[in-house]
Amino acid sequence: MAEPYLTLEDPVEHEIEIKRSRFICAIAPVSSEAAARGFVAGRKELHPDATHNCSAYVIGDRRLQKADDDGEPGGTAGTPMLETLLRRGLGDVVTVVTRYFGGVKLGAGGLVRAYGGAVGKTLDLARTVEMVPARVMTVTVDHVRAGRLENDLRVSPYEVRGAVYGARVALQVAVRESELGVFPDWVATLTAGQAAIEPGEAVYLRKA
């Protein structure tokens, strides 16, 4: 069964210093791997003279995970960054920790603590939102009832994701799993029982 997860409301950035090395952590919400890669590339462009730009991201409810040490000893940067994201229950999020070396080596254990700690401290400053399992339902209705139904949907807890107009109107509506039991009755009341409802793909929505 799909489980809820947290993501960030807005990007956040925070810097810490350890033995004269600067660790600048940036974390942002993303909805795809392409967006995560774009964020990482953007941070590298912003800090081209940094010693390292290490990264980690989790897409969706942990279905896709990646960590990159960017030249630090294997497993000392990207992995603890990723583990911190997962430990906090986050998904659809990317983080980059930029390091400017200060001349003092930290050792493997010190690096793990520094990179994981940079992410943790930055997350302490972040605003999160809970994402809950949902399903896209296709509601098909005649043109006479479609206008009112769509208007009511747009001011309801349900999310209209699209509409296809043909002989009848098919509305794609994302419905939280917790509301799947009442949604058909809600639609039936508005359409005098004249709508057909078909379940579709599983998605996630913000918790109402």
Side-chain angles (χ1 to χ4, degrees):
M1 183 177 176
E3 296 292 335
Y5 63 90
L6 298 175
T7 193
L8 266 62
E9 187 78 55
D10 305 290
V12 62
E13 183 174 330
H14 182 61
E15 179 177 338
I16 63 174
E17 184 175 320
I18 301 174
K19 294 183 178 178
R20 298 200 298 272
S21 277
R22 296 171 60 204
F23 293 86
I24 306 166
C25 178
I27 311 177
V30 289
S31 58
S32 67
E33 185 175 18
R37 290 179 178 273
F39 183 83
V40 174
R43 296 299 295 183
K44 289 183 176 181
E45 289 178 5
L46 188 62
H47 297 280
D49 55 339
T51 315
H52 305 280
N53 282 289
C54 306
S55 60
Y57 55 79
V58 184
I59 304 301
D61 56 335
R62 305 187 179 195
R63 68 181 181 270
L64 177 61
Q65 307 170 15
K66 187 168 183 180
D68 181 13
D69 295 312
D70 194 39
E72 291 281 31
T76 63
T79 297
M81 292 166 61
L82 177 61
E83 289 174 347
T84 301
L85 296 178
L86 295 175
R87 190 165 56 248
R88 297 287 187 101
L90 288 160
D92 283 343
V93 66
V94 57
T95 180
V96 177
V97 175
T98 298
R99 182 188 184 189
Y100 286 91
F101 182 55
V104 179
K105 292 185 177 181
L106 302 182
L111 288 172
V112 169
R113 289 189 294 274
Y115 280 99
V119 174
K121 286 180 170 59
T122 306
L123 287 174
D124 289 341
L125 305 174
R127 294 189 301 156
T128 58
V129 58
E130 185 175 2
M131 304 296 290
V132 297
R135 189 163 294 275
V136 176
M137 311 293 282
T138 299
V139 182
T140 305
V141 69
D142 58 56
H143 286 265
V144 173
R145 294 178 173 86
R148 179 192 170 190
L149 177 59
E150 185 170 357
N151 288 338
D152 286 341
L153 280 167
R154 293 194 182 279
V155 295
S156 76
Y158 313 120
E159 181 181 299
V160 178
R161 295 209 162 182
V164 177
Y165 294 88
R168 287 162 65 84
V169 180
L171 300 169
Q172 284 78 49
V173 186
V175 181
R176 295 168 182 82
E177 283 190 355
S178 62
E179 297 165 332
L180 286 174
V182 301
F183 180 70
D185 290 340
W186 185 84
V187 171
T189 299
L190 291 176
T191 62
Q194 297 303 303
I197 302 176
E198 291 290 336
E201 66 173 327
V203 295
Y204 278 83
L205 292 177
R206 287 169 173 252
K207 185 176 181 179

